[in-house]
Amino acid sequence: MKVLIGIFTSILFIPAICRAQEEVSSKTIPDRSDVSFKYEVERAIDRGLEFLLEVQKEDGWWSTEDHPALTGLALTAFMGHPKDRYQDLPPALQRGYSFLEANVKPDGRIYR
């Protein structure tokens, strides 16, 4: 259950933090203390994504096989990385997308 809560927390907050960081970085802020905050946010995002990589199952899914939507949320968190670090799809993310594709039904719905 703790893993599930950790996954939900990481997934829900990473895109919001990334958007907030983009808004802050797009403005010219003379106060240098914000640079430190930027690095703290980036480190928090990286730690959350590292956690997601650690708890991913070998078959590519997160949480439970019966809920592919959770895998989709985790993959969304990786795609929202502020420095596009995961755009080249490392093997772990490729497994996640393969799992999602395996659960796509002919009518376009994704479920198991």
Side-chain angles (χ1 to χ4, degrees):
M1 187 63 168
K2 289 182 182 180
V3 171
L4 183 60
I5 292 171
I7 290 172
F8 279 129
T9 303
S10 299
I11 291 170
L12 293 176
F13 290 111
I14 289 175
I17 291 171
C18 292
R19 282 192 299 277
Q21 183 180 8
E22 288 173 4
E23 290 175 13
V24 169
S25 65
S26 68
K27 299 177 183 176
T28 303
I29 301 173
D31 185 6
R32 294 213 178 253
S33 65
D34 289 331
V35 172
S36 175
F37 178 70
K38 175 185 173 195
Y39 292 135
E40 289 178 36
V41 169
E42 287 177 3
R43 180 65 186 133
I45 290 169
D46 289 339
R47 289 180 64 206
L49 295 176
E50 288 169 10
F51 169 77
L52 287 174
L53 287 174
E54 289 172 12
V55 299
Q56 182 188 28
K57 304 302 185 258
E58 191 64 35
D59 292 336
W61 47 271
W62 278 270
S63 184
T64 168
E65 263 184 297
D66 296 331
H67 298 100
L70 297 175
T71 297
L73 288 172
L75 292 169
T76 299
F78 285 99
M79 294 299 103
H81 193 279
K83 293 188 176 177
D84 295 331
R85 182 171 293 155
Y86 297 96
Q87 295 299 316
D88 292 335
L89 292 183
L93 299 187
Q94 290 175 6
R95 286 193 312 270
Y97 281 109
S98 293
F99 173 76
L100 279 183
E101 288 175 347
N103 287 285
V104 174
K105 306 302 176 203
D107 63 1
R109 295 184 292 166
I110 302 173
Y111 63 92
R112 193 151 187 140

